[in-house]
Amino acid sequence: MPTDVEEWKDEVYGTDIRDHIERFAEDGWESIPEDERDAWFERFKWYGLYHQRAGQESYFMMRIGPPSGVLEPGQFRRIVEIADEYARGPVANPEFGNGWLDVTTRQAVQLHWIRIEDVPDIFDELEDAGLSTVQACGDSWRNIVGCPVAGKDKHEHVDANELAYELHDTFKQNEAHSNLPRKWKVSVTGCDEGCGQGDINDLAFEPAEKEMDGETVTGYNVRVGGGLARNEPRFAKNIDVFATPEQAVEVAGGLSKLFRDHGDRDNRYNARIKFLVDEWGPEKVRETLQDEYIDFELETAGEDLRHSYSYNAGDADGKHDHVGVHEQVDGNNYIGLNVLVGRLGIDDAYEIADAAEEHASGEVRLTQRQNIILTDVPDGEVDALLDNEVFDEYSPDPHPFRRGSIACTGTEFCSLSIVETKNRQVRFSRWLVENVDLPAGVEDFHIHLSGCTASCAQPQIADVSLRGMKTRKDGEPVEALDIGLGGGLGENPRFASWVADRVPADEVPGAIENLLENFADRRTDGESFREFVADRDDEELADLVEPEETSYEDPYMHNTKQTWYPYAEDDGLDEGPAPARADGTPIPSDD
Amino acid sequence: MAIALRTLDDGAWISVNDSREVGVSDIWALPTREFCSCETPHVLLEAYSAVHVSDHRVLADAVGMCIECGTRDSIDSLPVGRIVDGEFKPYEPAGVQSTIPDAVDGAARSSFEPVE
Ligand code: HEM
Ligand code: SF4
Ligand SMILES: [Zn+2]
């Protein structure tokens, strides 16, 4: 039986939703009929609007997805202006104040506390700058991710942005591909470092070479069926297809149609293409693609570059991310800046926009490590740009504990969350920087915190993976984290092994401290953390974790989901100002 | 009156008549069921997979984990509330629950009174 969501999508989906959003905005939140809310909120996702969690009714998260995270000159500033005007909450967050934007792990920006009444104006302001929220959420082509320095980087093999833009232009607002069984996440990598993270996407294009008619052609190998959610992590599987840049759009379209027609629409938990790949195997995926969806003869896979992938690859050395000052092919530089847990304060963001416009092209790019990159900085401007105080916080040379931290949205706004995440991760990193030394030569150490198994912070591909849970401590239920070790990408990607379960959140920094001490004592010369973990079984690793209370204090041990906002003075679920009218005045409930 | 019941947002919550009524991430006490070997399993609900109504009771299928012993399993027909005069009355997660609707007799049913 088709699900309710499928029925709603059959009635109204895709670009038809826009008129309804305009109508509801005009007449206000209360005009959304009470008995149609589930349907409308599901549809709004297609336009990048996600209703915030219980206790925050009438407030929305808005996601803006620039392909490969590239914000052309002026676009970053426009997003900051929109955040400034429309994304302020009823109360402040103790770590971040009131007014910020979140850079996400799929190179998008998320704004919070958005009101439906403001959405048409926001859409106009975005479109005026060439930006869009279309398909940022919902069941279709999500933001296309890729090398954030495509077109600039010395490691480039094939221009990934050309394909990323072509895919974006072809498959956004494309009726035949608007309504898929579930989300469809696509990644395009063009470099020999592997920074597109293709392995964890539904569809991945990866740089490759192939002999065709006696000539070496540069293009892409194709992988299908990656994803991290729901205790069912999968790396994308090689379907033995090479696509020239000219063929790639057609191959992508064929696979998207294959998913559209063969994905499971009766059960949303079984709908992602990773489950179809499980069921069919990569051979049948290729066969069906060839027989039913592609008119020309598909090439078999070419020679890939995976052996040189360094991005999040867990080697003791090598380039793991884009932080720092790096030379571009044209002689200019790009500067990767660390944004702790991806959250940028509005005032800081204005200063960054100013600096990028004064000393460089004004282009800003977003990375899958929740960071930003300023491109096109001439040699002579690098120092002047970095002289700005704002780059003490958003540093090109951050402490490894700050550099390696990623956190998802968590109980602050997310319905699925089990624990508080971003504030906690900021506090973890602060404590670790002050109290813990990394072993000699360890420059990169990734700690990813996700509030639940949906894995938005990509915990399974970190050195230390943290995932929200609960446990009992001194008789009381408290927020806790499962701890996993040794995940990462590279030529041979590996998911973390979950070795310690339900560690009370306030004992996690102590656990990391002890783990690093044990690692330093036992490692062989120059051994990376990932190699160290790979060499040991889970039992031995579990013994090295040793959770323990320390001077670290955690203000979020209580059930932060049972609040309307975890940081409010009066935080009870019924004490919040939601739902509210456009001006923020609470709407009295009628019962 | 017809009741619209569904799970939404990947099982993040149960909607009753288009209103979010029961969320995930609470700990539910399940004394009478064989979820794990703990005497009173305290199970963190991570996601709802289905919801239905039987004899005025709203029953959810879910996935959860016992916070004491770490058993993760699915749970069938967990009573999460009841419909009284067309309105949903939630049960208290920490309250005593049974998940076997057929075994509920008059005496046992009193333990399902909503805690408000
Ligand atoms: C039903 C609820 C949700 C589910 C099942 C879900 C699931 C996911 C998954 C699986 C990913 C990417 C991991 C991967 O497969 O590679 C993801 C990404 C993300 N989700 Fe969610 N999510 C949900 C709701 C939310 C909400 C409500 C928010 C914020 C308010 C949020 C924030 C994010 C962020 C920041 C990312 C990474 C960035 C992106 O996709 O652009 N999620 N989500
Ligand atoms: S990982 Fe879970 S808690 Fe975090 S944003 Fe994603 S769905 Fe929400
Ligand atoms: Zn148990």
Side-chain angles (χ1 to χ4, degrees), chain B residues 35-38 41-42 66-71:
Chain B
F35 182 84
C36 57
S37 51
C38 295
H42 283 85
C66 171
I67 63 161
E68 318 282 353
C69 72
T71 301

mmCIF file of all heavy atoms in Angstrom, chain B residues 35-38 41-42 66-71, ligand 3:
data_model
loop_
_atom_site.group_PDB
_atom_site.id
_atom_site.type_symbol
_atom_site.label_atom_id
_atom_site.label_comp_id
_atom_site.label_asym_id
_atom_site.label_seq_id
_atom_site.Cartn_x
_atom_site.Cartn_y
_atom_site.Cartn_z
ATOM 1 N N PHE B 35 11.502 -8.036 26.227
ATOM 2 C CA PHE B 35 12.316 -7.254 25.299
ATOM 3 C C PHE B 35 13.774 -7.652 25.450
ATOM 4 O O PHE B 35 14.513 -7.795 24.503
ATOM 5 C CB PHE B 35 12.128 -5.761 25.585
ATOM 6 C CG PHE B 35 12.889 -4.870 24.633
ATOM 7 C CD1 PHE B 35 12.352 -4.533 23.395
ATOM 8 C CD2 PHE B 35 14.137 -4.374 24.974
ATOM 9 C CE1 PHE B 35 13.055 -3.723 22.512
ATOM 10 C CE2 PHE B 35 14.846 -3.562 24.104
ATOM 11 C CZ PHE B 35 14.308 -3.238 22.867
ATOM 12 N N CYS B 36 14.150 -7.814 26.705
ATOM 13 C CA CYS B 36 15.527 -8.206 27.022
ATOM 14 C C CYS B 36 15.463 -8.930 28.351
ATOM 15 O O CYS B 36 14.388 -9.179 28.872
ATOM 16 C CB CYS B 36 16.423 -6.977 27.104
ATOM 17 S SG CYS B 36 15.840 -5.763 28.308
ATOM 18 N N SER B 37 16.583 -9.237 28.929
ATOM 19 C CA SER B 37 16.521 -9.997 30.174
ATOM 20 C C SER B 37 16.437 -9.105 31.407
ATOM 21 O O SER B 37 16.427 -9.590 32.520
ATOM 22 C CB SER B 37 17.722 -10.946 30.260
ATOM 23 O OG SER B 37 18.891 -10.216 30.016
ATOM 24 N N CYS B 38 16.376 -7.801 31.213
ATOM 25 C CA CYS B 38 16.236 -6.913 32.365
ATOM 26 C C CYS B 38 14.852 -7.076 32.993
ATOM 27 O O CYS B 38 13.881 -7.340 32.291
ATOM 28 C CB CYS B 38 16.431 -5.460 31.952
ATOM 29 S SG CYS B 38 18.085 -5.113 31.373
ATOM 30 N N PRO B 41 12.561 -3.589 31.497
ATOM 31 C CA PRO B 41 13.321 -2.945 30.423
ATOM 32 C C PRO B 41 12.957 -1.465 30.321
ATOM 33 O O PRO B 41 11.777 -1.120 30.269
ATOM 34 C CB PRO B 41 12.879 -3.705 29.168
ATOM 35 C CG PRO B 41 12.314 -4.986 29.654
ATOM 36 C CD PRO B 41 11.738 -4.701 31.010
ATOM 37 N N HIS B 42 13.951 -0.622 30.338
ATOM 38 C CA HIS B 42 13.740 0.801 30.074
ATOM 39 C C HIS B 42 14.284 1.081 28.690
ATOM 40 O O HIS B 42 15.487 1.054 28.471
ATOM 41 C CB HIS B 42 14.429 1.660 31.130
ATOM 42 C CG HIS B 42 13.669 1.684 32.409
ATOM 43 N ND1 HIS B 42 13.806 0.717 33.370
ATOM 44 C CD2 HIS B 42 12.723 2.555 32.865
ATOM 45 C CE1 HIS B 42 12.978 0.992 34.379
ATOM 46 N NE2 HIS B 42 12.316 2.096 34.096
ATOM 47 N N CYS B 66 17.288 -0.914 25.018
ATOM 48 C CA CYS B 66 17.258 -0.930 26.477
ATOM 49 C C CYS B 66 18.488 -0.168 26.988
ATOM 50 O O CYS B 66 19.613 -0.495 26.630
ATOM 51 C CB CYS B 66 17.281 -2.364 27.006
ATOM 52 S SG CYS B 66 17.506 -2.446 28.800
ATOM 53 N N ILE B 67 18.239 0.844 27.801
ATOM 54 C CA ILE B 67 19.372 1.664 28.237
ATOM 55 C C ILE B 67 20.198 0.990 29.333
ATOM 56 O O ILE B 67 21.252 1.470 29.711
ATOM 57 C CB ILE B 67 18.943 3.071 28.693
ATOM 58 C CG1 ILE B 67 18.030 2.997 29.912
ATOM 59 C CG2 ILE B 67 18.297 3.848 27.551
ATOM 60 C CD1 ILE B 67 17.946 4.310 30.669
ATOM 61 N N GLU B 68 19.705 -0.128 29.855
ATOM 62 C CA GLU B 68 20.495 -0.843 30.861
ATOM 63 C C GLU B 68 21.434 -1.862 30.204
ATOM 64 O O GLU B 68 22.621 -1.878 30.470
ATOM 65 C CB GLU B 68 19.597 -1.599 31.856
ATOM 66 C CG GLU B 68 18.374 -0.864 32.334
ATOM 67 C CD GLU B 68 18.678 0.178 33.416
ATOM 68 O OE1 GLU B 68 19.827 0.228 33.884
ATOM 69 O OE2 GLU B 68 17.749 0.938 33.765
ATOM 70 N N CYS B 69 20.869 -2.689 29.323
ATOM 71 C CA CYS B 69 21.676 -3.802 28.804
ATOM 72 C C CYS B 69 22.064 -3.631 27.339
ATOM 73 O O CYS B 69 22.868 -4.391 26.815
ATOM 74 C CB CYS B 69 20.947 -5.131 28.984
ATOM 75 S SG CYS B 69 19.547 -5.330 27.865
ATOM 76 N N GLY B 70 21.481 -2.647 26.667
ATOM 77 C CA GLY B 70 21.913 -2.384 25.294
ATOM 78 C C GLY B 70 21.238 -3.227 24.232
ATOM 79 O O GLY B 70 21.577 -3.126 23.061
ATOM 80 N N THR B 71 20.256 -4.048 24.614
ATOM 81 C CA THR B 71 19.524 -4.803 23.591
ATOM 82 C C THR B 71 18.784 -3.835 22.677
ATOM 83 O O THR B 71 18.083 -2.952 23.150
ATOM 84 C CB THR B 71 18.497 -5.756 24.253
ATOM 85 O OG1 THR B 71 19.189 -6.635 25.104
ATOM 86 C CG2 THR B 71 17.711 -6.527 23.200
HETATM 87 ZN ZN ZN C 3 17.735 -4.717 29.040
#
